[in-house]
Amino acid sequence: QYIFEQENVTDTIVVFGSARVPSPEKIAEGRSGGELGRYYQDARDLGFRLARWSEEVAVPRGRRFLVCTGGGPGIMEAANRGAHEAGGPTIGLNINIPAEQVPNPYISREFSFDFQYFFMRKYWFLYHARVLIVFPGGFGTMDELFETLTLQQTRNIARRIPVILFGRKFWERVIDLPYLVESGMIAAEDLKLMVSVDSVAEALDVILPILSSQIE
């Protein structure tokens, strides 16, 4: 908290997603990108566009929105990388686990953090979050997504954090939201807690008006 206060960090754009989606460099080395390989470049492009918007539009008006990820490889690396390439500071909230979670090189040095406990990491993910973008991922991504949705569904978080599901085909196959409503497990109203997009342009059309409304 001291570092965030010292650096005047009050607004973040949080990006979740799999550590297993390879970068173009790893694909060139022979690692298969698979069906979901395109999401690395999507996350990189989105991180770039959001950081550039923040530097060019928000900062002159007294606000700064920093891209914040779990700090590891894959989608996390991609979003940090894009923000770094745009010239913006970028945050990585790393967690000490046995495999796959090594801080990526695109996190700003002053904003590279290591956590021992998931609950504290989740707290700082959401504390300054103004929007949450969730790319395809596994158990960790699902855990972060559903905890955020549950906190908002039960009104255990003071403000609304818009949730953007990136990759419509993936999310429609992994989570059958209409069936959850049909079976009475969630209310139809709960579907308004999230929106699905399938491209960087579509994501920006949703996200930028949300962020812009906070600096007007």
Side-chain angles (χ1 to χ4, degrees):
Q1 182 174 357
Y2 171 76
I3 294 174
F4 281 160
E5 289 178 352
Q6 185 180 46
E7 297 292 335
N8 196 30
V9 175
T10 58
D11 304 286
T12 59
I13 301 166
V14 177
V15 180
F16 291 152
S18 177
R20 302 186 182 191
V21 175
S23 66
E25 291 81 3
K26 291 190 178 299
I27 292 175
E29 292 171 1
R31 182 174 170 182
S32 172
E35 181 183 357
L36 304 179
R38 75 171 180 94
Y39 291 114
Y40 184 99
Q41 190 58 47
D42 286 338
R44 182 177 176 182
D45 290 345
L46 188 56
F48 180 94
R49 296 284 297 276
L50 291 170
R52 177 64 59 86
W53 175 87
S54 177
E55 294 300 306
E56 293 181 351
V57 178
V59 170
R61 298 167 74 176
R63 297 286 289 273
R64 181 177 65 168
F65 296 84
L66 276 65
V67 171
C68 174
T69 79
I75 293 297
M76 297 172 281
E77 174 188 294
N80 287 135
R81 183 175 184 174
H84 173 78
E85 290 168 338
T90 179
I91 301 169
L93 306 183
N94 192 52
I95 184 76
N96 291 319
I97 55 176
E100 295 180 336
Q101 191 68 26
V102 178
N104 69 70
Y106 304 104
I107 305 165
S108 298
R109 183 176 180 180
E110 68 272 27
F111 296 134
S112 182
F113 303 95
D114 284 304
F115 288 84
Q116 295 289 335
Y117 303 105
F118 279 100
F119 77 92
M120 283 302 299
R121 183 178 183 235
K122 291 174 183 175
Y123 175 85
W124 285 108
F125 271 135
L126 299 182
Y127 190 78
H128 291 303
R130 302 305 170 207
V131 67
L132 173 64
I133 308 160
V134 190
F135 280 80
F139 290 156
T141 302
M142 302 291 177
D143 175 55
E144 293 155 348
L145 167 63
F146 281 110
E147 178 143 7
T148 303
L149 293 174
T150 301
L151 287 171
Q152 297 198 85
Q153 180 197 50
T154 57
R155 299 179 184 176
N156 272 284
I157 191 167
R159 55 188 163 74
R160 175 77 177 272
I161 303 174
V163 176
I164 317 298
L165 302 179
F166 197 109
R168 191 173 287 113
K169 179 181 177 182
F170 176 87
W171 290 111
E172 286 179 352
R173 182 170 179 181
V174 170
I175 310 172
D176 192 340
L177 292 170
Y179 181 69
L180 287 176
V181 174
E182 178 187 333
S183 59
M185 298 297 104
I186 63 173
E189 186 75 11
D190 293 331
L191 297 180
K192 296 179 181 179
L193 294 172
M194 69 207 95
V195 61
S196 298
V197 301
D198 209 35
S199 69
V200 171
E202 194 177 354
L204 291 170
D205 284 344
V206 174
I207 296 166
L208 292 185
I210 293 170
L211 301 183
S212 295
S213 69
Q214 298 181 36
I215 60 175
E216 293 175 350

